[in-house]
Amino acid sequence: MNKLFTQMVLAFICTVATAQQTDSIAVKTDSLNKQYERRDTIRIGNIVIVTNAGNHRQTGNNTNITLGRKRQGKLSNISTNWGIVDFGFANYNDKTNYAAATAGGVLVNAPGSTFPLGASDFNLRAAKSVDINFWLFMQRVNLIKHHVNLKYGVGLELNNYRFRSNISFKEPGLSPYAGMAAIPNAYIIRDSISFSKNKLAADYITVPLMLNFCSNPGYHNRGISLSAGISAGYLYGQRNKQISPQRGKQKNKGDYDLEQFKLSYIAEIGLGPVRLYGSYSPASIFKNKLDMRPYTLGIRLSNW
């Protein structure tokens, strides 16, 4: 009797447990169905899957898969991009009349020099002449449906010209050659030693102003972006940095007759997530006689 009663109790408990489990599964399934019905967008990394179905049990529904970031909602008329960095190369188009520069006392040759200073002395090591820029911010102002924008900012532009030859930049003062009078202007000589590193650095505070076209507003890493305009730079630092076994490391800061302001034509192109920039100044970076017109080209690390 006790054995029979025990078996009946166990059978009843199993029946109740099975019923509760079935109800729980039904509730969970119903909950998942409702959740599925509410969710029509799934994001996996940079892959966005959008389904138009309201109920997964229906047929004939469409599913769209998008690669890249999801399009932003309502776009702001003014957007700001902070902390942009450029890495590129710096060079110049040399238009100097070297005979006139020598006659004007900008190039000073040693007495009895067989080969006077010339264009070959100003050739650069192209791979080591770099342009590094740090833009505090850039802003984009909507002009026409976010496809056409005004783009501007402010930052630091650092141009480094690495020379192949052993020229040295000097401030006005006593001549390095005996028997010659003091030189009243900044000048350049061909030095008597060889440098393992010899560069002229010119640093500017720069304000760019561009007209921007964007093919896909709202997508940072898709489509084509084009910008073109001008920039105005104010020279705040110049130095001739040299390294040699005889003199060690020298960083000679001074006034080497560089122009205080630099105006440049600038452009930027974005293809998907890759952005390239370039600039060209139609005027020399020097005030007198030397006609070196700088240009840059490189890659820009920016959200847009």
Side-chain angles (χ1 to χ4, degrees):
M1 187 67 168
N2 291 335
K3 186 177 180 179
L4 179 61
F5 178 79
T6 301
Q7 290 176 348
M8 291 176 64
V9 170
L10 290 175
F12 177 79
I13 292 174
C14 290
T15 302
V16 172
T18 302
Q20 288 179 345
Q21 185 177 7
T22 303
D23 292 341
S24 177
I25 293 173
V27 170
K28 289 181 180 180
T29 302
D30 185 62
S31 176
L32 288 173
N33 289 340
K34 291 180 179 179
Q35 184 178 0
Y36 186 87
E37 292 173 5
R38 290 194 302 268
R39 178 173 295 177
D40 58 0
T41 301
I42 301 173
R43 181 186 297 274
I44 305 174
N46 280 338
I47 302 176
V48 179
I49 304 174
V50 180
T51 176
N52 296 329
N55 190 325
H56 71 287
R57 288 169 292 186
Q58 296 176 358
T59 58
N61 300 312
N62 296 323
T63 300
N64 298 321
I65 299 177
T66 302
L67 298 179
R69 297 183 179 180
K70 184 181 177 181
R71 190 184 192 277
Q72 296 179 358
K74 184 178 180 181
L75 298 176
S76 173
N77 286 327
I78 300 178
S79 55
T80 305
N81 194 358
W82 300 94
I84 301 166
V85 181
D86 295 344
F87 295 98
F89 298 99
N91 212 314
Y92 46 67
N93 188 13
D94 188 356
K95 298 288 186 179
T96 302
N97 182 331
Y98 283 93
T102 301
V106 175
L107 303 179
V108 176
N109 296 287
S113 177
T114 305
F115 301 101
L117 285 161
S120 61
D121 292 284
F122 292 87
N123 288 339
L124 299 178
R125 297 183 184 275
K128 295 184 178 181
S129 297
V130 297
D131 172 58
I132 300 176
N133 307 319
F134 301 95
W135 304 104
L136 178 60
F137 74 91
M138 282 194 182
Q139 282 190 324
R140 189 168 60 182
V141 180
N142 173 37
L143 297 179
I144 304 175
K145 297 182 178 179
H146 298 281
H147 285 286
V148 180
N149 309 277
L150 182 66
K151 191 173 180 180
Y152 56 86
V154 64
L156 303 180
E157 187 180 5
L158 312 179
N159 301 151
N160 297 273
Y161 304 103
R162 184 84 170 263
F163 299 105
R164 292 181 176 274
S165 67
N166 301 314
I167 59 175
S168 289
F169 291 78
K170 301 292 185 180
E171 291 188 282
L174 295 175
S175 170
Y177 304 119
M180 294 183 65
I183 302 174
N185 53 266
Y187 62 97
I188 300 169
I189 64 170
R190 185 185 293 130
D191 219 310
S192 58
I193 64 174
S194 296
F195 300 106
S196 59
K197 183 176 184 179
N198 185 22
K199 75 172 185 179
L200 177 67
D203 304 332
Y204 301 86
I205 298 175
T206 301
V207 176
L209 180 66
M210 295 179 283
L211 194 64
N212 166 260
F213 168 78
C214 181
S215 65
N216 284 298
Y219 291 94
H220 294 326
N221 293 324
R222 295 176 61 187
I224 299 174
S225 175
L226 299 172
S227 301
I230 59 173
S231 70
Y234 175 80
L235 181 72
Y236 71 88
Q238 51 184 305
R239 58 197 176 278
N240 184 199
K241 185 175 180 179
Q242 299 172 323
I243 299 177
S244 65
Q246 296 89 337
R247 300 174 188 168
K249 183 184 295 186
Q250 293 182 313
K251 188 182 292 185
N252 305 311
K253 298 180 180 180
D255 183 358
Y256 301 126
D257 204 32
L258 271 66
E259 285 283 3
Q260 199 67 50
F261 295 93
K262 182 178 73 169
L263 294 176
S264 303
Y265 301 120
I266 57 176
E268 177 189 86
I269 180 170
L271 299 173
V274 179
R275 287 169 177 79
L276 304 177
Y277 75 93
S279 71
Y280 174 74
S281 177
S284 175
I285 56 174
F286 291 94
K287 294 178 183 177
N288 300 314
K289 305 303 180 180
L290 293 179
D291 190 356
M292 311 286 190
R293 305 177 188 185
Y295 61 88
T296 63
L297 181 66
I299 187 168
R300 174 160 291 165
L301 305 181
S302 172
N303 289 332
W304 45 252

